[in-house]
Amino acid sequence: MTVHHELPTTTDFSTLAGEHHPAITIYAATSPVVSERERAEVAVKSAFDEAIDRIRSDGADSAEVDALKAERDAVLADRSLWAGLSRSLAIFVAPGFTDVYVLPNRLDDAIHVGSHFVLGQLLRAPSQDQEAFAVTLSSNEWALWHALPTARAEQMPLDPELPRNLDDAANREAGEGLRRRSGGHGDRGTNEGDRRPEIHDLYAKRVADAVWRELQEHDPDAKVPLFVFAAEPLLTSFLDRAHNGRRVVGVQGGPDRLGAAEIDGELRQQLAQLNVNEARNALTGLADGSAGRVERDLAAIGRLAADGAVERLWFDFTTSVNGTLDHESGAIEFATDHGNGDALSDGRRAGDLLPQIAMLVIARGGKVVTVRGDDLEHAVWSGPAMAELRFALA
């Protein structure tokens, strides 16, 4: 058994691709919170039992069933795996083969059995943003966080000279104002309560300036999004200071009661929504103004992918179209029942075509974006897949 705490690579996908009969694929939502681990273990054991029962009822012999049980037992007995959970598990089991991926993004609970592993959800992890910065900002304190694709959000070290909270900022401003207005004689000249809105604004902007300096050092190309968790008026004051082309998302609400695990959870949820919004906007742009550069027919997409003509493939990971794909020519042969069957008309076993095409696109230098069709308007999405081409077709 191999446990992966890194995002899957092209080599990993190649290992999982192809026939692995009988194959079990399990996707399970988990949690880094200790109290929720038992629920995840029970859910995975139940998924295994259901999958093995299905395979037994499909006619698998006793040796295959025993081999699958042995792989199941190894997964359930691995204490290091269950002690280091993130937000999802992707488990791929066949006789004598087990790969487990511990992933930071939330996946949909699912069980699949067949001759091939179902890889659509696994492709979500490397195809979408899984890294983010976050600011938690309140009158009581503020912090800057960094969540990595393979690690939960952690606080970043900050300059100790920065104001720690609103009162700290107010006291510093009062001292500065005292010196400016009275030349050091102690006449502050302005009631502190009257200046509270001004202090809120000053505090938020000082925090914003400090954040931009830190992010410029860690991510100078501004590729990683920033989420700002704060209540008004601090949220607006901070966002007014946003610059440098970075994607910045404000999240309304006080963050004081959020611990590290809750911040990571909120951050992953916000990242998922950002990915959906960006996919929706990109697909709307394609639908509105890319005549000749969009292909929706799977057979045509397969051929174009083999030719390296696909710039970006979008596919709905919640759907499956079964068949076989020739990786040299891109030719597709669909399974029976218009791609819904498990085998070709001659009896050869078939797998899900969408991840196969996605991996071919990646191998030819293109990009892949997984979407959930239900998240997108019908006007811009009529799945199961859409290819943005490198050049317009004549």
Side-chain angles (χ1 to χ4, degrees), residues 24-366:
I24 296 174
T25 304
I26 296 173
Y27 292 104
T30 59
S31 172
V33 179
V34 174
S35 61
E36 297 184 24
R37 289 177 186 167
E38 184 176 349
R39 186 214 64 82
E41 287 190 71
V42 170
V44 169
K45 183 182 185 304
S46 177
F48 264 121
D49 292 343
E50 179 180 338
I52 291 172
D53 284 344
R54 287 188 201 174
I55 289 172
R56 184 189 290 111
S57 65
D58 286 342
D61 61 41
S62 59
E64 289 175 326
V65 171
D66 288 344
L68 292 172
K69 287 182 177 179
E71 300 297 335
R72 173 202 62 192
D73 293 344
V75 171
L76 296 175
D78 189 334
R79 290 298 93 195
S80 63
L81 165 64
W82 296 102
L85 295 180
S86 187
R87 305 203 66 77
S88 296
L89 284 177
I91 304 171
F92 306 94
V93 169
F97 179 95
T98 298
D99 263 11
V100 180
Y101 289 84
V102 181
L103 300 170
N105 56 311
R106 176 71 68 180
L107 300 179
D108 298 338
D109 290 342
I111 308 165
H112 304 275
V113 297
S115 59
H116 295 69
F117 296 128
V118 176
L119 304 178
Q121 286 212 70
L122 187 65
L123 277 161
R124 290 177 68 192
S127 73
Q128 297 182 330
D129 281 329
Q130 302 296 342
E131 180 180 4
F133 295 106
V135 174
T136 51
L137 174 62
S138 76
S139 299
N140 297 319
E141 62 179 350
W142 72 278
L144 180 60
W145 303 76
H146 190 192
L148 294 168
T150 55
R152 297 194 293 270
E154 294 184 352
Q155 285 195 46
M156 299 172 63
L158 298 170
D159 184 347
E161 296 300 316
L162 293 169
R164 300 182 302 276
N165 50 41
L166 182 67
D167 288 339
D168 191 12
N171 291 335
R172 295 186 189 201
E173 175 65 7
E176 292 172 3
L178 181 150
R179 289 190 296 272
R180 286 198 305 268
R181 287 187 292 272
S182 65
H185 294 294
D187 180 15
R188 295 174 62 177
T190 302
N191 183 277
E192 185 66 34
D194 294 340
R195 301 188 62 241
R196 204 67 177 175
E198 179 184 336
I199 295 299
H200 273 88
D201 190 58
L202 174 72
Y203 169 52
K205 289 183 175 180
R206 282 187 171 176
V207 171
D209 288 343
V211 168
W212 300 133
R213 287 194 297 270
E214 289 293 326
L215 297 192
Q216 178 62 29
E217 179 179 341
H218 288 86
D219 180 34
D221 295 328
K223 293 181 178 180
V224 179
L226 171 70
F227 296 87
V228 184
F229 297 86
E232 296 295 356
L234 294 175
L235 179 61
T236 294
S237 293
F238 185 102
L239 295 178
D240 285 345
R241 208 74 166 180
H243 62 86
N244 199 30
R246 186 180 302 277
R247 292 169 293 166
V248 181
V249 178
V251 183
Q252 179 70 251
D256 282 344
R257 295 184 179 181
L258 299 178
E262 289 81 9
I263 288 170
D264 186 79
E266 288 284 338
L267 197 50
R268 302 296 174 182
Q269 184 176 342
Q270 292 293 330
L271 259 178
Q273 187 59 52
L274 177 65
N275 286 324
V276 169
N277 293 342
E278 292 185 340
R280 183 184 295 121
N281 293 337
L283 288 166
T284 299
L286 281 177
D288 290 344
S290 297
R293 289 193 60 196
V294 175
E295 180 58 69
R296 288 181 170 84
D297 180 74
L298 276 187
I301 292 173
R303 294 191 298 271
L304 291 163
D307 290 338
V310 176
E311 177 73 23
R312 182 179 282 104
L313 175 73
W314 311 76
F315 80 91
D316 184 353
F317 70 87
T318 67
T319 65
S320 294
V321 181
N322 294 332
T324 60
L325 172 70
D326 186 304
H327 286 255
E328 294 301 321
S329 68
I332 286 175
E333 188 173 355
F334 291 97
T336 57
D337 190 22
H338 306 289
N340 291 313
D342 295 326
L344 307 179
S345 56
D346 61 5
R348 285 180 292 153
R349 298 186 180 103
D352 189 355
L353 284 167
L354 301 179
Q356 295 181 61
I357 296 172
M359 287 183 279
L360 182 57
V361 168
I362 293 170
R364 298 293 192 272

